[in-house]
Amino acid sequence: MAEINAVVSWLAALTSEGALRQKLLVLHQFRSSMIGNRALRDVTHAEIGLLIHVDGPGSQPDKLATWSALHVDAPAGVAWGWKNFYDEDTPTLSPEQTTLQVVPAPDLITDQ
C-alpha cells in the first residue's frame, strides 16, 4: 500500500498545483494478494478518487466469487469496476447483464 499511497500523494500534488479537476486512480486487482494492507489507504486527498477494477477472465461464478472476496473488509470510499472479456469470459456479459447480476453493481464496467 505504501507504493499506492506514494502515487496518490504525487498525483494529488500534481492535480492541486495545476488547479486540475479530481483525478481517478484505477487499481487493477484480480487476487486478494495484489493489494495488501488496504486499510492503510491514504484517503486524505480530495483531488483523487480511487477505483478498484476487478480484472480477470473466467467463468461467471469464478468472477463473482473474486468480486465478493475483494469486497470483504474493503476500504470505505473506494469505487468499484468490473471488466468483461469478449473472448475469455464464459459467458461474456453485456453491460446491462453485468449491472443486473453483479452485486453490488459496479461503478464502472469495461470491455476488452
Side-chain angles (χ1 to χ4, degrees):
M1 187 52 72
E3 288 176 292
I4 293 171
N5 286 340
V7 171
V8 167
S9 294
W10 172 83
L11 187 55
L14 179 71
T15 303
S16 181
E17 290 165 9
L20 304 173
R21 293 182 180 170
Q22 184 186 51
K23 301 300 166 211
L24 178 64
L25 180 61
V26 178
L27 306 172
H28 294 275
Q29 183 174 18
F30 53 89
R31 288 190 318 257
S32 297
S33 62
M34 292 177 75
I35 301 175
N37 299 319
R38 295 187 309 175
L40 300 178
R41 179 181 64 87
D42 184 355
V43 295
T44 62
H45 301 286
E47 300 90 351
I48 307 301
L50 285 178
L51 181 132
I52 297 175
H53 193 229
V54 180
D55 185 359
S59 71
Q60 292 306 319
D62 287 346
K63 290 178 70 125
L64 288 168
T66 300
W67 178 261
S68 295
L70 293 178
H71 276 76
V72 173
D73 297 325
V78 171
W80 290 87
W82 175 278
K83 183 182 277 190
N84 290 314
F85 288 88
Y86 292 121
D87 60 353
E88 297 180 43
D89 287 352
T90 51
T92 300
L93 300 180
S94 69
E96 295 80 12
Q97 290 170 316
T98 303
T99 301
L100 293 172
Q101 294 181 32
V102 177
V103 178
D107 299 297
L108 171 74
I109 299 170
T110 62
D111 297 291
Q112 177 179 334

